[in-house]
Amino acid sequence: APYYEWDEPVYTSIGANVGCTNCNEDDLSRVDLKTTVGLQYYFMHNRRFSPYLRGSLVYQSVYFNDPRTESAEEPAYQASQVGGELAVGLEWKITRWLILGADVAYLGLARVGDEEGRAGTIPANAGQGVATVNDSDHGATFRLNLAIRF
């Protein structure tokens, strides 16, 4: 018998994520605001352990702040990126409402436009350990999550 009586193996997802790199008051910092919209397919959706595959569209705004400039309140550089994310993961349904999960995802992004005439990237020598925004960026993430389902 199935562990849970869920009707569909496909779920939609909307996500938001904020990340900060080197966010000390006196150093150049990078803040990423990422928004995703996607679909998640569960291979064995009625089981306690459910593997899944997720595909998402991604929009990301990147802000670089430099406290050494005169207008430290305004971002020194900005960039926008669009792309996609593909993830494979496993969820453990601890109870009907509480879920623990882990996934690994590939993320591919391309820079779009320049905002307000800014170059959209930081000079290579400006920040120690702060990644720039290229015309295309790729990466992988490993994520652990705890979710409450309604």
Side-chain angles (χ1 to χ4, degrees), residues 2-11 40-52 89-102 145-149:
Y3 185 71
Y4 292 119
E5 295 295 332
W6 289 2
D7 295 332
E8 300 296 328
V10 177
Y11 292 88
Q40 190 160 309
Y41 177 79
Y42 291 90
F43 293 100
M44 296 182 290
H45 66 284
N46 289 335
R47 305 282 182 214
R48 181 178 281 266
F49 291 95
S50 300
Y52 63 85
L90 180 68
E91 283 190 352
W92 172 31
K93 297 172 181 80
I94 299 168
T95 68
R96 179 159 177 80
W97 308 107
L98 186 62
I99 297 166
L100 181 65
N145 58 63
L146 182 65
I148 298 174
R149 287 238 170 97

Side-chain angles (χ1 to χ4, degrees), residues 4-32:
Y4 292 119
E5 295 295 332
W6 289 2
D7 295 332
E8 300 296 328
V10 177
Y11 292 88
T12 57
S13 65
I14 299 173
N17 181 322
V18 176
C20 189
T21 304
N22 202 28
C23 291
N24 299 319
E25 266 185 47
D26 300 327
D27 296 329
L28 184 74
S29 63
R30 172 181 168 150
V31 177
D32 297 66

Side-chain angles (χ1 to χ4, degrees), residues 6 33 48 61-62 72-73 85-86 89 93 116-117 122-123 137 142:
W6 289 2
L33 304 173
R48 181 178 281 266
S61 295
V62 181
E73 305 297 318
E85 181 179 58
L86 183 61
K93 297 172 181 80
E116 300 176 25
I122 61 173
D137 290 314
F142 178 73

Side-chain angles (χ1 to χ4, degrees), residues 109-126:
L109 296 169
R111 185 171 59 182
V112 292
D114 290 334
E115 299 190 20
E116 300 176 25
R118 294 186 176 102
T121 187
I122 61 173
N125 61 355

